[in-house]
Amino acid sequence: MSACITLEHVRFRWPGAQHHTLDIPQLSIQRGEQVLLRGPSGCGKSTLLSLIAGIHCPTEGQLQVLNQPLTALNQRQRDRLRANEIGYIFQQFNLLPYLSAVANVALACQFAPARRQRLQQQGLSVDQASAALLTRLGLSTAEQQLHAQQLSVGQQQRVAAARALLGAPALIIADEPTSALDQAHRDAFIEVLFEQCAAQQSTLLFVTHDATLAKHFARVIEFTAINAVQREAKHV
Ligand SMILES: Nc1ncnc2c1ncn2[C@@H]1O[C@H](COP(=O)(O)OP(=O)(O)OP(=O)(O)O)[C@@H](O)[C@H]1O
Ligand SMILES: [Mg+2]
């Protein structure tokens, strides 16, 4: 197996903050691995995901994602890598409120030629694939046409999930993707998620506080065990 994500001596401090949020000496996740990351609220999980997705840059250290040295790429190169190869379910969903559900999903392919190409190879149009994913996640045809702002929180979360999965990105990052779902929709989502990961050998990095989900993952990372900032803070 080759590495999907490698961090070496990564530190990150938010602008204006007095202390580092992250100080991770080493972390490696292999391609095709499905990893659960958990830790207390505010410990820095979403911050770490934003670095791995190339949204923010480490203050120090080396970060490689999908064989790309993120720390050596410029913002445009990182944006391109994310658009094509990283499906990100944000904790706050980040949907466009005045676009329909299905248009929000299809947006994942707009600046992502590699994702579009993978759908073409399966003989699917972007709109067909977007609608099919939403249907599997339990949104009716009528609901798929509603603006994102007209949907319930759980429906919006499923739109965000479909957008992340569309076009089979090599890495799927899911930040509390089931927090607003009832058990039936959560089970349906987990099934679709693992099916997509298996079919495409995608790597999955999944953050959750839901202890019942741990059984689905071969590897569980305790955030406080990889982040030196946490260990120090406990002894202050
Ligand atoms: N955009 C930001 N600007 C400045 N500081 C931030 C920003 N986002 C997060 N932080 C700070 O970074 C720390 C870690 O936040 P983060 O959102 O990564 O935690 P988390 O582990 O994801 O928590 P939760 O489980 O509640 O989602 C917090 O102290 C927070 O105040
Ligand atoms: Mg978070």
Side-chain angles (χ1 to χ4, degrees), residues 14-15 21 39-48 56 91 175-176 209:
W14 284 105
T21 297
S41 177
C43 69
K45 303 180 297 298
S46 297
T47 303
L48 172 59
H56 295 106
Q91 199 166 8
D175 197 352
E176 291 276 4
H209 289 285

Side-chain angles (χ1 to χ4, degrees), residues 11-22:
R11 300 177 100 195
F12 179 78
R13 186 203 299 250
W14 284 105
Q18 287 198 328
H19 304 285
H20 285 101
T21 297
L22 303 178

Side-chain angles (χ1 to χ4, degrees), residues 45-68:
K45 303 180 297 298
S46 297
T47 303
L48 172 59
L49 298 184
S50 75
L51 261 57
I52 292 170
I55 296 166
H56 295 106
C57 253
T59 315
E60 296 167 37
Q62 302 302 318
L63 170 56
Q64 290 230 2
V65 175
L66 297 163
N67 294 332
Q68 299 286 323

Side-chain angles (χ1 to χ4, degrees), residues 3 7 14 16 38 62 65 73 88 94 99 112 120 130 133 139-140 149-150 157-158 178 180 201 216 222-223 228 231:
L7 285 81
W14 284 105
R38 64 184 178 200
Q62 302 302 318
V65 175
L73 301 185
Y88 197 146
N94 291 8
L99 278 189
Q120 268 168 15
S130 303
L133 272 169
L139 265 80
S140 69
Q149 63 173 5
Q150 297 170 303
Q157 190 159 44
R158 285 178 277 147
T178 59
Q201 287 99 45
H216 296 285
E222 299 293 346
F223 190 85
R231 287 200 290 274

